[in-house]
Amino acid sequence: MSELRIHTRLNSRYQVFDASGELPFSLVFGLCRRSPADTDPRPVLLDIAGSILDVPYALAHGLLTIHEYDPKNTEQSICVDLIRLKEITAVEGKYLSLPSPINRTKRWRDAFTVYHSPIDINSPLTSVLEEGKRYRIKMTGTDLGIRRWAYNSRQELGDDHHPPTHESKAVRIVNSKPSAGNATFTVVKSLPWPPRVETTISLCKSLPCLNSTTTDTDLGPSRDTGLEISVTNTGPESIAVQTQGRQSFLVPWGLFQPENDDDDIRVRIIGSKSGRGSLQVINCVTGDVVRGNDGRGKCSLTDSNIDSRPKLESLVVLRPGDPLVTRLDIRALLGGLADGQYMIRLRSRGCRWWDGEIGEEDCEDGRVPKRLGSGLVPPLMLESHDEVGVCVREGQLHQIDSDIGLGTSQNRSLG
């Protein structure tokens, strides 16, 4: 075998490069051994110095290229002149291990080894980026730039006193699909960040009653609300927050899709009595999530011409220091559970937000105006460290002690 073929993908962590450095940016690489000729059961260790994973070096030496999009025609782009990067040297001392495909149980799309190559604002690469412009980084061919590799361990890579293994010399590491993916992003001077919000959850004074004659979704009188969620804006100004529908904000991406479901369409916990999808119930003995472990909300495909801007009715206002309190009936959430102890917690959810209040006079056709429609903003995160303990016993709910602390949403944790 003269070549060891590695399936390689490339993506950008975010759609924007924040020139202020507040939002960390990186290129996301995925490598997977899936060639039919790759039958060795041992892992492969790669020395990534001078490879495509060493991004500034790879750009300076033609393993990667960067293109600038034409603002008048987004289908056209020009290759950026990288002459100023020619003096860049390889970064030594970094390695990546790829497991063998032999006896793999995962499908290949789930078997990638992921590597993040951070691009710091002081990186030489930033010297060729201009604010307001959109760029694309892609692989130029099959050469991954791997010069040293070995099966099993780092010791077999060799050093100044011991030459590399036979495999490194005789077998080249190449990309099996050079067109797989690219990293696209827009350069911005800075990003607007939401204020910090504090979110707490607690049981109401009156607990719902369970009894054997009720169904899973009807476990007590409707006057027993059950759970109270309080969200407080600690910032100096009011903000408008989208509580339902398709959310549009910055999310971290993996190789193929967003890494989490912050941008799903389900109703958020604030401003609506149908936000139970933001709650989870955990069995205290097993640690299993017994309620609220479903995936992202489903939405049907829509015509690209349909107006996706949020409607005014889907917005709530968080004013400084004024708690927004939501009370939920948790009978349906807890119905059908066996006797035992459970914890209720709030799942982290992102929301689109805007500075100030948005009223009817600000809207266009009852929706957020187009000038406020950009999704290039970090989300307001609704999250809490609070956990409410309940005990289901002989058809009754009882509160149990738990270590409950104030839930504080840190809205700069996009990473």
Side-chain angles (χ1 to χ4, degrees):
M1 183 173 65
S2 61
E3 294 180 337
L4 179 58
R5 302 175 68 84
I6 305 293
H7 189 109
T8 309
R9 282 196 64 89
L10 169 63
N11 203 353
S12 54
R13 177 76 167 164
Y14 288 101
Q15 299 175 45
V16 299
F17 178 88
D18 178 11
S20 73
E22 285 201 78
L23 179 65
F25 183 84
S26 63
L27 298 189
V28 185
F29 292 90
L31 294 89
C32 178
R33 295 167 59 186
R34 61 183 297 244
S35 170
D38 188 354
T39 58
D40 196 299
R42 297 173 295 176
V44 165
L45 186 67
L46 308 178
D47 182 347
I48 66 175
S51 73
I52 62 166
L53 307 182
D54 188 354
V55 173
Y57 182 92
L59 284 166
H61 293 81
L63 297 172
L64 297 173
T65 58
I66 181 168
H67 296 254
E68 176 189 318
Y69 280 98
D70 184 340
K72 297 180 180 180
N73 184 357
T74 56
E75 299 298 322
Q76 300 294 325
S77 63
I78 58 174
C79 191
V80 177
D81 184 0
L82 300 177
I83 188 66
R84 69 187 77 178
L85 300 183
K86 292 302 182 183
E87 301 303 319
I88 291 178
T89 57
V91 177
E92 302 288 344
K94 293 184 177 181
Y95 304 88
L96 190 68
S97 180
L98 306 182
S100 170
I102 303 301
N103 299 323
R104 178 185 294 156
T105 57
K106 298 178 180 178
R107 62 173 185 164
W108 68 267
R109 283 176 65 95
D110 299 324
F112 277 92
T113 298
V114 177
Y115 180 82
H116 289 259
S117 180
I119 308 298
D120 187 79
I121 58 172
N122 297 316
S123 166
L125 174 58
T126 61
S127 65
V128 304
L129 303 178
E130 295 184 39
E131 180 186 335
K133 293 188 175 181
R134 189 164 174 252
Y135 296 92
R136 178 184 64 184
I137 295 177
K138 65 178 185 178
M139 293 173 274
T140 57
T142 61
D143 186 7
L144 297 179
I146 303 294
R147 299 294 175 258
R148 297 202 310 157
W149 67 276
Y151 286 113
N152 285 331
S153 66
R154 181 174 170 179
Q155 283 73 25
E156 296 189 32
L157 279 174
D159 52 31
D160 292 338
H161 304 289
H162 301 86
T165 61
H166 173 74
E167 288 90 350
S168 286
K169 290 182 177 180
V171 182
R172 294 176 61 237
I173 299 284
V174 298
N175 182 14
S176 63
K177 194 174 181 181
S179 61
N182 58 76
T184 303
F185 56 92
T186 300
V187 179
V188 297
K189 182 178 181 180
S190 61
L191 292 168
W193 289 89
R196 183 172 61 89
V197 298
E198 293 179 347
T199 304
T200 62
I201 64 173
S202 60
L203 286 175
C204 298
K205 292 182 180 180
S206 179
L207 296 175
C209 177
L210 301 177
N211 61 72
S212 58
T213 63
T214 60
T215 66
D216 288 355
T217 58
D218 184 19
L219 299 177
S222 59
R223 65 179 180 272
D224 293 318
T225 303
L227 196 68
E228 181 176 283
I229 301 94
S230 176
V231 180
T232 304
N233 175 5
T234 68
E237 304 292 339
S238 296
I239 58 172
V241 181
Q242 181 182 349
T243 64
Q244 58 186 309
R246 186 181 297 277
Q247 302 273 351
S248 178
F249 49 74
L250 291 171
V251 293
W253 277 69
L255 296 175
F256 301 98
Q257 61 190 20
E259 287 190 347
N260 50 45
D261 59 0
D262 287 337
D263 64 338
D264 71 14
I265 66 171
R266 284 176 293 195
V267 177
R268 297 326 193 231
I269 200 69
I270 59 175
S272 172
K273 292 186 178 181
S274 59
R276 284 188 295 269
S278 294
L279 297 174
Q280 282 186 328
V281 180
I282 297 92
N283 186 307
C284 292
V285 175
T286 65
D288 295 335
V289 177
V290 295
R291 293 285 192 276
N293 200 28
D294 52 319
R296 59 193 301 115
K298 304 297 184 182
C299 63
S300 58
L301 294 177
T302 57
D303 191 315
S304 59
N305 294 322
I306 291 179
D307 195 341
S308 61
R309 292 174 300 147
K311 294 181 179 180
L312 177 61
E313 62 201 48
S314 71
L315 307 183
V316 297
V317 174
L318 292 179
R319 297 181 177 89
D322 184 11
L324 179 64
V325 178
T326 302
R327 294 179 177 88
L328 296 178
D329 187 331
I330 57 175
R331 291 175 300 164
L333 186 68
L334 300 174
L337 292 178
D339 284 4
Q341 294 187 350
Y342 301 91
M343 300 299 294
I344 302 174
R345 69 171 60 144
L346 184 65
R347 299 179 68 177
S348 176
R349 286 281 187 268
C351 298
R352 181 68 167 91
W353 63 279
W354 296 265
D355 285 319
E357 301 185 22
I358 299 177
E360 290 186 12
E361 66 280 4
D362 303 306
C363 292
E364 300 170 354
D365 301 322
R367 296 178 182 271
V368 172
K370 292 181 180 180
R371 60 184 173 82
L372 300 178
S374 171
L376 300 183
V377 296
L380 174 80
M381 298 304 297
L382 297 176
E383 54 192 359
S384 175
H385 296 298
D386 287 2
E387 293 182 330
V388 173
V390 295
C391 177
V392 178
R393 186 173 63 247
E394 297 181 350
Q396 297 287 328
L397 276 181
H398 305 275
Q399 185 171 3
I400 61 175
D401 294 333
S402 60
D403 294 326
I404 300 176
L406 181 64
T408 301
S409 173
Q410 300 292 342
N411 289 296
R412 294 176 182 247
S413 59
L414 287 173

